Amino acid sequence: MLITRKPQTVGDRRKYIVDYSQWLDTGVTLTAGAASTASLTASIDTVSFTASTLIFFVNGGIINEIFTVALQITDSTGEIKHDTLEFFVIAP
């Protein structure tokens, strides 16, 4: 599911936090999380998670590029959820 579309400024490294607390049932927590992109000019790093959030950084990109970041989380009941963020790169 596409969560949102965000601007990414050339040369920036920005932190993103995706809150899954409303998706999780009471007492259920995240047990794994991943973020990735197929972009050749942008990258993802420092991926981590808490009990209810997925945290990662987006780096780079070139002007007018549009790229997606694929997210995957697993919860303590074994359910897996896939989401997508779309980024469009702008000039500084």
Side-chain angles (χ1 to χ4, degrees):
M1 175 174 79
L2 179 64
I3 294 176
T4 192
R5 188 169 192 251
K6 295 277 192 184
Q8 169 73 10
T9 303
V10 171
D12 277 4
R13 178 177 187 262
R14 296 186 62 192
K15 180 179 183 179
Y16 290 92
I17 301 171
V18 181
D19 184 357
Y20 284 100
S21 61
Q22 293 195 19
W23 179 77
L24 296 167
D25 290 333
T26 303
V28 176
T29 60
L30 297 184
T31 58
S36 62
T37 184
S39 171
L40 299 176
T41 64
S43 62
I44 308 299
D45 67 40
T46 319
V47 180
S48 62
F49 62 93
T50 67
S52 63
T53 61
L54 180 63
I55 305 156
F56 59 94
F57 287 82
V58 176
N59 305 286
I62 58 172
I63 293 175
N64 296 324
E65 177 183 13
I66 296 173
F67 64 92
T68 58
V69 173
L71 309 178
Q72 179 180 315
I73 53 127
T74 304
D75 71 21
S76 55
T77 66
E79 290 189 27
I80 298 171
K81 182 168 177 47
H82 296 270
D83 289 309
T84 304
L85 302 174
E86 185 176 84
F87 290 88
F88 55 98
V89 183
I90 59 175

